[in-house]
Amino acid sequence: MLYLVGMGLGDEKDITLRGLEIVRKCERVYLEAYTSLLSFGLSNNALSTLEDLYGRPVILADREMVEQGMEQILEEACTSDVAFLVVGDPFGATTHSDLVVRARKMGVEVKVVHNASVMNAVGVCGLQLYRFGETISIPFFTETWRPDSFYDKIKANRQLGLHTLCLLDIRVKEPSIESLCRGKKDYEPPKFMTINTAIEQLLEIEETHAESAYNEDTSCVGLVRLGSEMQKIVSGSMKELLTMDFGPPLHCLVIVGKTHPLEEEVLEFYAMSKACINAENCRN
């Protein structure tokens, strides 16, 4: 059996009771470690914390393992119980449908244990989930690569009065361009997009397109470290949020569409003016 087990968003204790029971009985336990991270990271101490609670060794499954070594994991699941842990929900922000298809083609039975993900936890800011449009991802720009396919999706959402959840780039164990050119993989340090960088890129794309999908006065909500004790939520214009220091990852951003009075009332609790009472939170 292959079990896809959602871990939730905060720390090791966010796993469900059912998920914990399954993990403790599995012969092999893998942690998918490239589409998202728990709030306490993936250090050796963090892994030890997971292993202490789960009572099982935890094997990090990075991008290379998932993309190139998944056959080995599925072969193990043919003869034993294997748990594949996913931060959030297995079918949340990044789906693992391909893994399920490959498993079933090999005759491996799959069971899923769901959990909270950014896709529903974002509702904590007061915006109603059914008023969200298509979710987008914003990748890091480079000198030669500045993709803008998300722009039309934001524009379409806003024309319908819908909110847009923006998932921000995570780069973990990414080989550098220089090393690939040399035929040897040297990995760049982990890199996590901030809300500030996302807004800067969004405004750059708007300036290029000039179709008024949004502007620096457009209302947004910045959400960081969702589900953890260090969670922070700030609402304000793009221009205002650019001045905020949101701290460590993970970050996400919501571009607000047409609001209901109740949504506006809740957003007021997270207004930038209140968040900046402590001046240390704001950049000069």
Side-chain angles (χ1 to χ4, degrees), residues 23-35:
V23 167
R24 285 177 172 171
K25 77 171 187 178
C26 285
E27 294 182 39
R28 303 275 277 183
V29 179
Y30 292 90
L31 171 59
E32 191 259 69
Y34 73 91
T35 61

Side-chain angles (χ1 to χ4, degrees), residues 192-259:
F192 307 94
M193 183 179 288
T194 64
I195 289 167
N196 315 84
T197 297
I199 292 175
E200 288 170 356
Q201 293 188 180
L202 284 166
L203 291 175
E204 176 184 325
I205 294 301
E206 173 56 52
E207 185 175 352
T208 301
H209 282 255
E211 296 177 19
S212 301
Y214 51 81
N215 57 51
E216 64 178 13
D217 295 317
T218 297
S219 179
C220 293
V221 185
L223 303 100
V224 297
R225 302 175 294 277
L226 274 177
S228 77
E229 294 296 323
M230 300 182 294
Q231 176 176 288
K232 179 187 291 186
I233 303 168
V234 183
S235 66
S237 67
M238 286 189 174
K239 179 169 57 178
E240 290 174 325
L241 294 187
L242 274 175
T243 67
M244 170 68 70
D245 182 355
F246 287 93
L250 295 171
H251 295 194
C252 65
L253 177 72
V254 176
I255 301 173
V256 179
K258 184 177 180 181
T259 51

Side-chain angles (χ1 to χ4, degrees), residues 79-93:
T79 56
S80 61
D81 288 336
V82 175
F84 191 75
L85 306 178
V86 180
V87 176
D89 183 88
F91 298 99

Side-chain angles (χ1 to χ4, degrees), residues 93-153:
T94 300
T95 70
H96 290 82
S97 301
D98 178 64
L99 177 55
V100 173
V101 170
R102 291 164 64 185
R104 288 178 174 162
K105 284 182 177 179
M106 291 179 62
V108 177
E109 190 174 354
V110 180
K111 287 191 176 180
V112 179
V113 181
H114 294 285
N115 209 320
S117 80
V118 64
M119 302 296 284
N120 58 1
V122 69
V124 70
C125 72
L127 297 175
Q128 298 165 5
L129 293 179
Y130 64 84
R131 298 172 66 88
F132 277 76
E134 184 173 357
T135 296
I136 67 159
S137 296
I138 302 179
F140 279 110
F141 286 176
T142 69
E143 291 184 6
T144 57
W145 189 62
R146 309 180 95 72
D148 60 0
S149 59
F150 53 78
Y151 182 84
D152 288 337
K153 297 176 182 178

Side-chain angles (χ1 to χ4, degrees), residues 1-66:
M1 180 80 72
L2 175 66
Y3 292 96
L4 297 182
V5 181
M7 298 178 67
L9 295 170
D11 57 26
E12 75 282 0
K13 296 178 182 177
D14 279 2
I15 193 170
T16 65
L17 181 57
R18 179 166 174 258
L20 182 59
E21 290 173 345
I22 287 171
V23 167
R24 285 177 172 171
K25 77 171 187 178
C26 285
E27 294 182 39
R28 303 275 277 183
V29 179
Y30 292 90
L31 171 59
E32 191 259 69
Y34 73 91
T35 61
S36 190
L37 297 174
L38 287 170
S39 62
F40 59 83
L42 290 175
S43 65
N44 289 334
N45 288 338
L47 276 181
S48 296
T49 301
L50 290 175
E51 292 174 338
D52 289 344
L53 176 63
Y54 299 163
R56 307 293 299 158
V58 177
I59 303 165
L60 281 182
D62 58 20
R63 182 185 294 273
E64 285 186 13
M65 176 178 287
V66 174

